[in-house]
Amino acid sequence: MASGTQGARQEMLRVVAGAVDDLAIALAALGEAYEGLDETTADRLEEQLFRPVQLAYGRAQRTHDGFAARHGLAGRTFAPAAPGHPSQGVRGFLDATLSAVARADHTLGELQDSLMPIEIGDEELRSGLSEVRRGIGDLPVRTRQFVRTLGR
């Protein structure tokens, strides 16, 4: 049973790391979108989109690292993601952000639905996953609203 539990913990750590990587992609894309905007619009992007993703990214990393430490597993250093090609333009970077956030949310949602976090009995992991998902849950709506105001 111990090796089964340890294997499940390793798998959860791998899955959470994948979501962290997707959020890093979203942050990189938002950073590039920011560079392509005027100062006022860039400030709105930072407040409405970048900050929520940055907070979710940080929380996801802390959730990953805390879980690894609590269970004696090897942690991981997360590197910044490549933002993509400048030719994508602001809308292309926003689309990339939405795709990456959707992947992260889907990954974490499937993990929560699997009940594995409950079976392992790690309340801090469950809380962290929920907090990350709450932080990015309304990002598609926020992004669509932001895109509608571009160029105005």
Side-chain angles (χ1 to χ4, degrees):
M1 176 74 174
S3 65
T5 300
Q6 194 68 356
R9 288 176 178 153
Q10 288 282 24
E11 177 62 13
M12 281 196 302
L13 204 57
R14 185 193 65 74
V15 170
V16 173
V20 173
D21 288 339
D22 283 330
L23 291 172
I25 291 168
L27 281 176
L30 285 168
E32 287 297 310
Y34 180 93
E35 295 300 323
L37 297 169
D38 64 82
E39 186 176 340
T40 302
T41 308
D43 288 346
R44 280 192 314 111
L45 179 134
E46 182 176 358
E47 179 184 327
Q48 295 172 7
L49 305 177
F50 187 85
R51 281 191 193 139
V53 174
Q54 186 178 40
L55 290 171
Y57 175 72
R59 180 61 170 133
Q61 281 186 311
R62 287 189 307 279
T63 298
H64 177 277
D65 294 346
F67 181 76
R70 283 189 304 280
H71 298 286
L73 302 171
R76 181 179 147 193
T77 301
F78 293 96
H85 300 287
S87 62
Q88 289 177 259
V90 171
R91 288 179 193 251
F93 286 121
L94 292 174
D95 288 342
T97 296
L98 282 176
S99 294
V101 167
R103 283 191 310 273
D105 186 50
H106 179 76
T107 297
L108 296 177
E110 281 192 339
L111 180 59
Q112 287 176 313
D113 290 346
S114 76
L115 302 180
M116 204 181 327
I118 293 171
E119 292 168 3
I120 296 298
D122 192 304
E123 176 60 37
E124 290 177 54
L125 174 73
R126 292 193 315 264
S127 175
L129 297 177
S130 294
E131 190 175 326
V132 170
R133 292 191 71 210
R134 274 192 305 273
I136 59 175
D138 69 343
L139 202 74
V141 171
R142 286 176 180 228
T143 303
R144 283 191 296 274
Q145 290 171 342
F146 183 84
V147 167
R148 277 199 302 265
T149 64
L150 280 178
R152 290 185 185 178

PDB file of all heavy atoms in Angstrom, residues 49-73:
ATOM      1  N   LEU A  49      -5.969  40.941 -15.882  1.00  0.00           N
ATOM      2  CA  LEU A  49      -5.586  39.608 -16.351  1.00  0.00           C
ATOM      3  C   LEU A  49      -4.273  39.105 -15.748  1.00  0.00           C
ATOM      4  O   LEU A  49      -4.212  37.981 -15.249  1.00  0.00           O
ATOM      5  CB  LEU A  49      -5.480  39.605 -17.881  1.00  0.00           C
ATOM      6  CG  LEU A  49      -6.721  40.072 -18.642  1.00  0.00           C
ATOM      7  CD1 LEU A  49      -6.455  40.091 -20.140  1.00  0.00           C
ATOM      8  CD2 LEU A  49      -7.926  39.224 -18.306  1.00  0.00           C
ATOM      9  N   PHE A  50      -3.238  39.928 -15.819  1.00  0.00           N
ATOM     10  CA  PHE A  50      -1.927  39.468 -15.390  1.00  0.00           C
ATOM     11  C   PHE A  50      -1.890  39.130 -13.903  1.00  0.00           C
ATOM     12  O   PHE A  50      -1.418  38.057 -13.514  1.00  0.00           O
ATOM     13  CB  PHE A  50      -0.849  40.508 -15.729  1.00  0.00           C
ATOM     14  CG  PHE A  50       0.551  40.022 -15.474  1.00  0.00           C
ATOM     15  CD1 PHE A  50       1.215  39.279 -16.429  1.00  0.00           C
ATOM     16  CD2 PHE A  50       1.195  40.290 -14.272  1.00  0.00           C
ATOM     17  CE1 PHE A  50       2.499  38.814 -16.202  1.00  0.00           C
ATOM     18  CE2 PHE A  50       2.473  39.831 -14.029  1.00  0.00           C
ATOM     19  CZ  PHE A  50       3.134  39.091 -15.004  1.00  0.00           C
ATOM     20  N   ARG A  51      -2.378  40.035 -13.069  1.00  0.00           N
ATOM     21  CA  ARG A  51      -2.324  39.804 -11.615  1.00  0.00           C
ATOM     22  C   ARG A  51      -3.049  38.534 -11.188  1.00  0.00           C
ATOM     23  O   ARG A  51      -2.505  37.762 -10.398  1.00  0.00           O
ATOM     24  CB  ARG A  51      -2.846  41.006 -10.852  1.00  0.00           C
ATOM     25  CG  ARG A  51      -1.821  42.105 -10.770  1.00  0.00           C
ATOM     26  CD  ARG A  51      -2.228  43.185  -9.798  1.00  0.00           C
ATOM     27  NE  ARG A  51      -1.360  44.334 -10.000  1.00  0.00           N
ATOM     28  CZ  ARG A  51      -1.759  45.587  -9.989  1.00  0.00           C
ATOM     29  NH1 ARG A  51      -3.023  45.876  -9.764  1.00  0.00           N
ATOM     30  NH2 ARG A  51      -0.907  46.559 -10.191  1.00  0.00           N
ATOM     31  N   PRO A  52      -4.275  38.286 -11.670  1.00  0.00           N
ATOM     32  CA  PRO A  52      -4.936  37.038 -11.266  1.00  0.00           C
ATOM     33  C   PRO A  52      -4.162  35.782 -11.691  1.00  0.00           C
ATOM     34  O   PRO A  52      -4.069  34.821 -10.927  1.00  0.00           O
ATOM     35  CB  PRO A  52      -6.296  37.091 -11.957  1.00  0.00           C
ATOM     36  CG  PRO A  52      -6.545  38.543 -12.199  1.00  0.00           C
ATOM     37  CD  PRO A  52      -5.193  39.150 -12.436  1.00  0.00           C
ATOM     38  N   VAL A  53      -3.583  35.813 -12.883  1.00  0.00           N
ATOM     39  CA  VAL A  53      -2.805  34.652 -13.339  1.00  0.00           C
ATOM     40  C   VAL A  53      -1.522  34.538 -12.524  1.00  0.00           C
ATOM     41  O   VAL A  53      -1.121  33.448 -12.119  1.00  0.00           O
ATOM     42  CB  VAL A  53      -2.507  34.728 -14.855  1.00  0.00           C
ATOM     43  CG1 VAL A  53      -1.577  33.598 -15.288  1.00  0.00           C
ATOM     44  CG2 VAL A  53      -3.800  34.670 -15.658  1.00  0.00           C
ATOM     45  N   GLN A  54      -0.895  35.666 -12.243  1.00  0.00           N
ATOM     46  CA  GLN A  54       0.335  35.646 -11.446  1.00  0.00           C
ATOM     47  C   GLN A  54       0.067  35.101 -10.042  1.00  0.00           C
ATOM     48  O   GLN A  54       0.845  34.292  -9.519  1.00  0.00           O
ATOM     49  CB  GLN A  54       0.915  37.056 -11.361  1.00  0.00           C
ATOM     50  CG  GLN A  54       2.257  37.127 -10.673  1.00  0.00           C
ATOM     51  CD  GLN A  54       2.806  38.548 -10.671  1.00  0.00           C
ATOM     52  OE1 GLN A  54       2.052  39.508 -10.474  1.00  0.00           O
ATOM     53  NE2 GLN A  54       4.098  38.673 -10.896  1.00  0.00           N
ATOM     54  N   LEU A  55      -1.034  35.504  -9.435  1.00  0.00           N
ATOM     55  CA  LEU A  55      -1.390  34.993  -8.108  1.00  0.00           C
ATOM     56  C   LEU A  55      -1.675  33.492  -8.153  1.00  0.00           C
ATOM     57  O   LEU A  55      -1.244  32.741  -7.272  1.00  0.00           O
ATOM     58  CB  LEU A  55      -2.596  35.750  -7.550  1.00  0.00           C
ATOM     59  CG  LEU A  55      -2.340  37.205  -7.150  1.00  0.00           C
ATOM     60  CD1 LEU A  55      -3.654  37.906  -6.820  1.00  0.00           C
ATOM     61  CD2 LEU A  55      -1.368  37.285  -5.987  1.00  0.00           C
ATOM     62  N   ALA A  56      -2.397  33.049  -9.177  1.00  0.00           N
ATOM     63  CA  ALA A  56      -2.694  31.623  -9.318  1.00  0.00           C
ATOM     64  C   ALA A  56      -1.414  30.825  -9.559  1.00  0.00           C
ATOM     65  O   ALA A  56      -1.237  29.732  -9.004  1.00  0.00           O
ATOM     66  CB  ALA A  56      -3.679  31.399 -10.463  1.00  0.00           C
ATOM     67  N   TYR A  57      -0.516  31.376 -10.352  1.00  0.00           N
ATOM     68  CA  TYR A  57       0.767  30.719 -10.629  1.00  0.00           C
ATOM     69  C   TYR A  57       1.569  30.557  -9.331  1.00  0.00           C
ATOM     70  O   TYR A  57       2.069  29.475  -9.036  1.00  0.00           O
ATOM     71  CB  TYR A  57       1.545  31.557 -11.645  1.00  0.00           C
ATOM     72  CG  TYR A  57       2.942  31.068 -11.947  1.00  0.00           C
ATOM     73  CD1 TYR A  57       3.150  29.910 -12.687  1.00  0.00           C
ATOM     74  CD2 TYR A  57       4.062  31.784 -11.515  1.00  0.00           C
ATOM     75  CE1 TYR A  57       4.440  29.472 -12.976  1.00  0.00           C
ATOM     76  CE2 TYR A  57       5.339  31.356 -11.802  1.00  0.00           C
ATOM     77  CZ  TYR A  57       5.521  30.205 -12.536  1.00  0.00           C
ATOM     78  OH  TYR A  57       6.797  29.775 -12.820  1.00  0.00           O
ATOM     79  N   GLY A  58       1.649  31.616  -8.558  1.00  0.00           N
ATOM     80  CA  GLY A  58       2.374  31.541  -7.291  1.00  0.00           C
ATOM     81  C   GLY A  58       1.738  30.553  -6.329  1.00  0.00           C
ATOM     82  O   GLY A  58       2.428  29.770  -5.674  1.00  0.00           O
ATOM     83  N   ARG A  59       0.416  30.561  -6.264  1.00  0.00           N
ATOM     84  CA  ARG A  59      -0.284  29.633  -5.373  1.00  0.00           C
ATOM     85  C   ARG A  59      -0.084  28.191  -5.839  1.00  0.00           C
ATOM     86  O   ARG A  59       0.100  27.283  -5.015  1.00  0.00           O
ATOM     87  CB  ARG A  59      -1.772  29.986  -5.308  1.00  0.00           C
ATOM     88  CG  ARG A  59      -2.573  29.071  -4.410  1.00  0.00           C
ATOM     89  CD  ARG A  59      -2.054  29.150  -2.978  1.00  0.00           C
ATOM     90  NE  ARG A  59      -2.953  28.467  -2.077  1.00  0.00           N
ATOM     91  CZ  ARG A  59      -2.548  27.597  -1.146  1.00  0.00           C
ATOM     92  NH1 ARG A  59      -1.272  27.354  -0.974  1.00  0.00           N
ATOM     93  NH2 ARG A  59      -3.416  27.007  -0.380  1.00  0.00           N
ATOM     94  N   ALA A  60      -0.122  27.971  -7.135  1.00  0.00           N
ATOM     95  CA  ALA A  60       0.088  26.622  -7.668  1.00  0.00           C
ATOM     96  C   ALA A  60       1.501  26.128  -7.351  1.00  0.00           C
ATOM     97  O   ALA A  60       1.690  24.965  -6.971  1.00  0.00           O
ATOM     98  CB  ALA A  60      -0.172  26.594  -9.174  1.00  0.00           C
ATOM     99  N   GLN A  61       2.485  27.001  -7.474  1.00  0.00           N
ATOM    100  CA  GLN A  61       3.858  26.616  -7.125  1.00  0.00           C
ATOM    101  C   GLN A  61       3.972  26.278  -5.646  1.00  0.00           C
ATOM    102  O   GLN A  61       4.587  25.274  -5.283  1.00  0.00           O
ATOM    103  CB  GLN A  61       4.831  27.759  -7.443  1.00  0.00           C
ATOM    104  CG  GLN A  61       5.206  27.863  -8.880  1.00  0.00           C
ATOM    105  CD  GLN A  61       6.278  28.921  -9.066  1.00  0.00           C
ATOM    106  OE1 GLN A  61       6.162  30.045  -8.581  1.00  0.00           O
ATOM    107  NE2 GLN A  61       7.324  28.568  -9.782  1.00  0.00           N
ATOM    108  N   ARG A  62       3.392  27.115  -4.786  1.00  0.00           N
ATOM    109  CA  ARG A  62       3.449  26.850  -3.348  1.00  0.00           C
ATOM    110  C   ARG A  62       2.720  25.552  -2.991  1.00  0.00           C
ATOM    111  O   ARG A  62       3.166  24.799  -2.119  1.00  0.00           O
ATOM    112  CB  ARG A  62       2.854  28.026  -2.558  1.00  0.00           C
ATOM    113  CG  ARG A  62       3.749  29.251  -2.547  1.00  0.00           C
ATOM    114  CD  ARG A  62       3.254  30.325  -1.590  1.00  0.00           C
ATOM    115  NE  ARG A  62       1.868  30.716  -1.771  1.00  0.00           N
ATOM    116  CZ  ARG A  62       1.425  31.570  -2.683  1.00  0.00           C
ATOM    117  NH1 ARG A  62       2.282  32.131  -3.534  1.00  0.00           N
ATOM    118  NH2 ARG A  62       0.144  31.875  -2.754  1.00  0.00           N
ATOM    119  N   THR A  63       1.623  25.285  -3.677  1.00  0.00           N
ATOM    120  CA  THR A  63       0.885  24.045  -3.445  1.00  0.00           C
ATOM    121  C   THR A  63       1.745  22.852  -3.826  1.00  0.00           C
ATOM    122  O   THR A  63       1.848  21.875  -3.072  1.00  0.00           O
ATOM    123  CB  THR A  63      -0.434  24.053  -4.251  1.00  0.00           C
ATOM    124  OG1 THR A  63      -1.244  25.146  -3.787  1.00  0.00           O
ATOM    125  CG2 THR A  63      -1.189  22.749  -4.102  1.00  0.00           C
ATOM    126  N   HIS A  64       2.383  22.946  -4.964  1.00  0.00           N
ATOM    127  CA  HIS A  64       3.280  21.882  -5.450  1.00  0.00           C
ATOM    128  C   HIS A  64       4.425  21.673  -4.467  1.00  0.00           C
ATOM    129  O   HIS A  64       4.680  20.550  -4.011  1.00  0.00           O
ATOM    130  CB  HIS A  64       3.815  22.265  -6.831  1.00  0.00           C
ATOM    131  CG  HIS A  64       4.794  21.303  -7.401  1.00  0.00           C
ATOM    132  ND1 HIS A  64       6.144  21.335  -7.070  1.00  0.00           N
ATOM    133  CD2 HIS A  64       4.638  20.281  -8.264  1.00  0.00           C
ATOM    134  CE1 HIS A  64       6.757  20.365  -7.723  1.00  0.00           C
ATOM    135  NE2 HIS A  64       5.874  19.713  -8.452  1.00  0.00           N
ATOM    136  N   ASP A  65       5.103  22.756  -4.127  1.00  0.00           N
ATOM    137  CA  ASP A  65       6.280  22.658  -3.259  1.00  0.00           C
ATOM    138  C   ASP A  65       5.917  22.183  -1.852  1.00  0.00           C
ATOM    139  O   ASP A  65       6.632  21.369  -1.263  1.00  0.00           O
ATOM    140  CB  ASP A  65       6.996  24.010  -3.181  1.00  0.00           C
ATOM    141  CG  ASP A  65       7.596  24.431  -4.516  1.00  0.00           C
ATOM    142  OD1 ASP A  65       7.698  23.587  -5.435  1.00  0.00           O
ATOM    143  OD2 ASP A  65       7.943  25.623  -4.643  1.00  0.00           O
ATOM    144  N   GLY A  66       4.816  22.682  -1.324  1.00  0.00           N
ATOM    145  CA  GLY A  66       4.392  22.275   0.008  1.00  0.00           C
ATOM    146  C   GLY A  66       4.026  20.804   0.058  1.00  0.00           C
ATOM    147  O   GLY A  66       4.383  20.088   1.004  1.00  0.00           O
ATOM    148  N   PHE A  67       3.323  20.341  -0.958  1.00  0.00           N
ATOM    149  CA  PHE A  67       2.941  18.931  -1.018  1.00  0.00           C
ATOM    150  C   PHE A  67       4.191  18.056  -1.084  1.00  0.00           C
ATOM    151  O   PHE A  67       4.307  17.062  -0.366  1.00  0.00           O
ATOM    152  CB  PHE A  67       2.032  18.675  -2.218  1.00  0.00           C
ATOM    153  CG  PHE A  67       1.574  17.255  -2.335  1.00  0.00           C
ATOM    154  CD1 PHE A  67       0.583  16.764  -1.501  1.00  0.00           C
ATOM    155  CD2 PHE A  67       2.132  16.404  -3.274  1.00  0.00           C
ATOM    156  CE1 PHE A  67       0.155  15.447  -1.604  1.00  0.00           C
ATOM    157  CE2 PHE A  67       1.718  15.093  -3.384  1.00  0.00           C
ATOM    158  CZ  PHE A  67       0.720  14.611  -2.542  1.00  0.00           C
ATOM    159  N   ALA A  68       5.138  18.447  -1.935  1.00  0.00           N
ATOM    160  CA  ALA A  68       6.383  17.675  -2.061  1.00  0.00           C
ATOM    161  C   ALA A  68       7.111  17.625  -0.718  1.00  0.00           C
ATOM    162  O   ALA A  68       7.550  16.551  -0.279  1.00  0.00           O
ATOM    163  CB  ALA A  68       7.281  18.287  -3.133  1.00  0.00           C
ATOM    164  N   ALA A  69       7.222  18.747  -0.061  1.00  0.00           N
ATOM    165  CA  ALA A  69       7.940  18.801   1.223  1.00  0.00           C
ATOM    166  C   ALA A  69       7.238  17.975   2.297  1.00  0.00           C
ATOM    167  O   ALA A  69       7.890  17.247   3.051  1.00  0.00           O
ATOM    168  CB  ALA A  69       8.080  20.258   1.684  1.00  0.00           C
ATOM    169  N   ARG A  70       5.918  18.081   2.361  1.00  0.00           N
ATOM    170  CA  ARG A  70       5.179  17.340   3.389  1.00  0.00           C
ATOM    171  C   ARG A  70       5.298  15.826   3.232  1.00  0.00           C
ATOM    172  O   ARG A  70       5.201  15.091   4.205  1.00  0.00           O
ATOM    173  CB  ARG A  70       3.689  17.726   3.367  1.00  0.00           C
ATOM    174  CG  ARG A  70       3.383  19.046   4.011  1.00  0.00           C
ATOM    175  CD  ARG A  70       1.901  19.288   4.168  1.00  0.00           C
ATOM    176  NE  ARG A  70       1.125  19.198   2.938  1.00  0.00           N
ATOM    177  CZ  ARG A  70       1.028  20.153   2.027  1.00  0.00           C
ATOM    178  NH1 ARG A  70       1.671  21.298   2.193  1.00  0.00           N
ATOM    179  NH2 ARG A  70       0.295  19.994   0.951  1.00  0.00           N
ATOM    180  N   HIS A  71       5.519  15.377   2.005  1.00  0.00           N
ATOM    181  CA  HIS A  71       5.540  13.932   1.748  1.00  0.00           C
ATOM    182  C   HIS A  71       6.920  13.405   1.359  1.00  0.00           C
ATOM    183  O   HIS A  71       7.040  12.273   0.877  1.00  0.00           O
ATOM    184  CB  HIS A  71       4.483  13.580   0.703  1.00  0.00           C
ATOM    185  CG  HIS A  71       3.101  13.902   1.182  1.00  0.00           C
ATOM    186  ND1 HIS A  71       2.437  13.159   2.128  1.00  0.00           N
ATOM    187  CD2 HIS A  71       2.272  14.944   0.884  1.00  0.00           C
ATOM    188  CE1 HIS A  71       1.256  13.688   2.375  1.00  0.00           C
ATOM    189  NE2 HIS A  71       1.140  14.775   1.646  1.00  0.00           N
ATOM    190  N   GLY A  72       7.948  14.234   1.546  1.00  0.00           N
ATOM    191  CA  GLY A  72       9.307  13.787   1.282  1.00  0.00           C
ATOM    192  C   GLY A  72       9.594  13.497  -0.178  1.00  0.00           C
ATOM    193  O   GLY A  72      10.433  12.647  -0.505  1.00  0.00           O
ATOM    194  N   LEU A  73       8.931  14.222  -1.064  1.00  0.00           N
ATOM    195  CA  LEU A  73       9.136  14.035  -2.502  1.00  0.00           C
ATOM    196  C   LEU A  73      10.055  15.132  -3.036  1.00  0.00           C
ATOM    197  O   LEU A  73      10.144  16.215  -2.460  1.00  0.00           O
ATOM    198  CB  LEU A  73       7.794  14.086  -3.236  1.00  0.00           C
ATOM    199  CG  LEU A  73       6.759  13.064  -2.785  1.00  0.00           C
ATOM    200  CD1 LEU A  73       5.411  13.356  -3.428  1.00  0.00           C
ATOM    201  CD2 LEU A  73       7.218  11.651  -3.121  1.00  0.00           C
TER     202      LEU A  73
END
